Amino acid sequence: MLVDRVRMFILSLLFLLAGCSGGGGDPGTPGTSNPPPTATTGSLQVAVTGLPTGLNAAVRITGPNNFSRDLTGTQTLPDLAAGSYSVAASSITLGGTTYTPTPAVQSVVVTAGGTATATVAYAGTALALALADIGPTFTSPTFVTAPPGDDRLFVLERRGVIRVVRNGSVLTQAWLDISANVFTGGEGGLLSMAFDPNFASNGYFYVYYTDTAQNIVVERYASSPTPNVADPTSGLVILRAAHPQFTNHFGGLVAFGPDGLLYAGLGDGGGAGDPFGNAQNLGVLLGKLLRVDVRTANSGQPYTIPVTNPYLNQPGRRPEIWAAGLRNPWRYAFDGERLYIADVGQAAREEVNLASTSQGGLNYGWDILEGTACFEAATCNRTGLTLPVFEYEHGANNVNGCSITGGYVYRGTAIPELAGRYFYSDYCRGYIKSFFAGDAGVAEQRDWNLNTAGRVVSFGRDGAGELYVVSESGRIFKLVRGSAG
């Protein structure tokens, strides 16, 4: 009996459980899923083709919300705001080949949730240069320059005359004639000029010459109310350095740096091997690069010493000195915050020194060193000396040259592929060469096969930053794009 009752209880329990779990009743509301979120950004895929392995592209992407990104190769940019983007590519030069992008500029629309594409195809062509004769022949020209933005060209003649060239013609009247004050023996003469950074408002310019007593002189003059003629009575001597013994190594460049200060590069006084030890003597100005402030120049105080000059208030040392150890700097050049100095060697090596414009007190080694080599000694102490970033040996019979003519870093607009290349020549060989000085050292050395200028005395720049070559023949040439062939 008991077993039967237990059996009946279990059956009743199972029946109740089955009723509670049955499929009857309200089936309920069918389940719903949330829709995917709406995309608000898109992507841009940029494909770069045609460049050799290891050569970076130069592509800039700009777009909404001040977006800007530089690319060096193929890349996909995600999470971009929807809108129109500009893809601008620049030419690249490697060695003698220029890689030109097609298209140079294109517009691409990025849509929300989509991926837009842009292709930049580079094609390489050989870059060639040529020398365009500006026309007139001058009497022993030494330098050419112009104020920024000015359409005139100012040509210096060694005898002490400055001519103005406009629209290919030499103006009849000279800009300035100081020939009565100029010594032209040996390497002397009127050697350079520099326009004041505020020339447009104050009319000042500075000339570097050797006077009749063979001194090195930097003198300021002013323009006059007469167009294209300076005031010959406005001369103010800024500095005068004695150079009595020899008629070579006068240096010869006056220029303003990016700091607004006036620089002058003086030779070591001449003779072979710096016989008086001027370049290493901080008590004399010869063999140095000088830096002075002429913004308040007057007859009582033609210059002041910048407070950052390295030898200020040091007894026995000239406070005008910015750098020492130079033999005959011919020429130097500023490029932004960099300073290139081409220093002529003695009999074996020519050199180019490179430093930041903030590095005062450097010693470039002459006459302990000629280039990187000990001068007339098997060994020497290089401690504290700054070695050149570039040099070349003369070679047998001066096959490589004998006297460097320093130029400029190209920053013009006519040949953008040349940007950043430093140009130079050699007086004995007449070639036009260039190199690129990067963080890893000197690269892209190139001879442009432009020997038509003859002996190159100097380089120069016009108001647009284009480069010129001054030939001993009296001709002046502009560096222009040539025909590749």
Side-chain angles (χ1 to χ4, degrees):
M1 274 305 280
L2 181 58
V3 172
D4 290 339
R5 288 178 180 176
V6 171
R7 188 177 295 161
M8 288 298 294
F9 175 77
I10 294 172
L11 289 173
S12 299
L13 183 60
L14 290 173
F15 177 78
L16 289 173
L17 290 173
C20 290
S21 62
D26 186 357
T29 304
T32 59
S33 60
N34 293 325
T38 302
T40 60
T41 63
S43 301
L44 174 59
Q45 185 180 63
V46 179
V48 177
T49 65
L51 291 178
T53 302
L55 182 60
N56 289 335
V59 181
R60 172 160 291 186
I61 315 297
T62 56
N65 304 323
N66 296 317
F67 178 86
S68 179
R69 183 76 59 83
D70 290 327
L71 306 183
T72 59
T74 297
Q75 188 172 336
T76 298
L77 303 177
D79 302 323
L80 298 181
S84 180
Y85 288 78
S86 173
V87 180
S90 300
S91 297
I92 304 165
T93 296
L94 177 64
T97 302
T98 296
Y99 295 88
T100 304
T102 303
V105 180
Q106 57 185 303
S107 181
V108 182
V109 176
V110 173
T111 59
T115 298
T117 61
T119 298
V120 178
Y122 278 92
T125 56
L127 173 63
L129 299 179
L131 294 175
D133 194 328
I134 70 167
T137 298
F138 298 88
T139 303
S140 298
T142 55
F143 195 62
V144 58
T145 188
D150 201 303
D151 66 351
R152 296 170 295 179
L153 205 60
F154 293 76
V155 179
L156 278 66
E157 296 179 331
R158 188 179 173 204
R159 57 185 172 148
V161 176
I162 302 175
R163 316 292 305 191
V164 176
V165 179
R166 199 166 205 172
N167 299 323
S169 299
V170 181
L171 302 188
T172 302
Q173 189 169 357
W175 169 261
L176 182 69
D177 185 345
I178 57 170
S179 54
N181 304 330
V182 175
F183 166 78
T184 58
E187 297 173 358
L190 175 58
L191 302 178
S192 68
M193 71 181 294
F195 289 95
D196 192 282
N198 296 313
F199 173 75
S201 58
N202 63 27
Y204 292 148
F205 63 97
Y206 299 76
V207 292
Y208 185 119
Y209 66 94
T210 51
D211 68 13
T212 53
Q214 213 172 292
N215 301 305
I216 295 171
V217 178
V218 174
E219 188 169 9
R220 188 190 77 184
Y221 283 89
S223 55
S224 74
T226 302
N228 301 309
V229 176
D231 179 0
T233 67
S234 63
L236 172 65
V237 172
I238 301 298
L239 64 85
R240 179 179 278 112
H243 189 294
Q245 285 86 9
F246 301 96
T247 61
N248 61 343
H249 301 185
F250 290 109
L253 184 65
V254 60
F256 281 92
D259 50 15
L261 301 174
L262 189 70
Y263 292 72
L266 279 63
D268 67 4
D274 192 9
F276 298 102
N278 289 324
Q280 292 297 318
N281 182 356
L282 296 177
V284 300
L285 299 181
L286 298 177
K288 314 297 191 305
L289 181 66
L290 312 181
R291 184 177 80 151
V292 297
D293 191 339
V294 294
R295 286 174 286 195
T296 59
N298 58 69
S299 58
Q301 188 177 28
Y303 62 84
T304 57
I305 304 299
V307 295
T308 52
N309 271 24
Y311 305 114
L312 179 64
N313 299 324
Q314 294 190 21
R317 300 182 175 187
R318 293 295 298 261
E320 300 93 340
I321 296 173
W322 180 250
L326 297 170
R327 183 176 180 272
N328 193 38
W330 189 265
R331 315 276 199 171
Y332 59 90
F334 294 99
D335 179 48
E337 297 301 316
R338 297 175 118 194
L339 170 62
Y340 293 72
I341 305 175
D343 199 17
V344 177
Q346 175 73 42
R349 296 174 181 235
E350 305 299 309
E351 68 183 78
V352 177
N353 300 286
L354 176 58
S356 165
T357 54
S358 63
Q359 292 178 281
L362 297 182
N363 185 333
Y364 293 108
W366 176 253
D367 64 341
I368 301 168
L369 300 175
E370 182 184 9
T372 59
C374 295
F375 177 67
E376 295 185 344
T379 61
C380 57
N381 185 359
R382 293 178 170 84
T383 303
L385 304 182
T386 299
L387 301 181
V389 296
F390 174 76
E391 66 180 339
Y392 60 91
E393 296 187 13
H394 293 182
N397 299 315
N398 293 330
V399 64
N400 299 317
C402 74
S403 179
I404 191 169
T405 299
Y408 295 93
V409 175
Y410 182 82
R411 294 296 178 187
T413 59
I415 317 175
E417 304 97 309
L418 295 179
R421 277 70 186 171
Y422 174 79
F423 281 80
Y424 68 98
S425 182
D426 188 283
Y427 182 74
C428 293
R429 303 301 296 172
Y431 49 62
I432 307 295
K433 293 186 177 183
S434 69
F435 63 75
F436 181 82
D439 294 337
V442 168
E444 296 184 35
Q445 298 182 42
R446 179 167 181 185
D447 185 340
W448 292 93
N449 296 315
L450 300 174
N451 296 341
T452 58
R455 292 191 170 193
V456 175
V457 175
S458 184
F459 287 80
R461 289 184 294 196
D462 64 16
E466 300 301 325
L467 294 188
Y468 291 74
V469 175
V470 180
S471 171
E472 187 184 52
S473 68
R475 312 297 287 179
I476 294 175
F477 303 88
K478 184 177 181 180
L479 197 68
V480 298
R481 188 183 297 275
S483 300

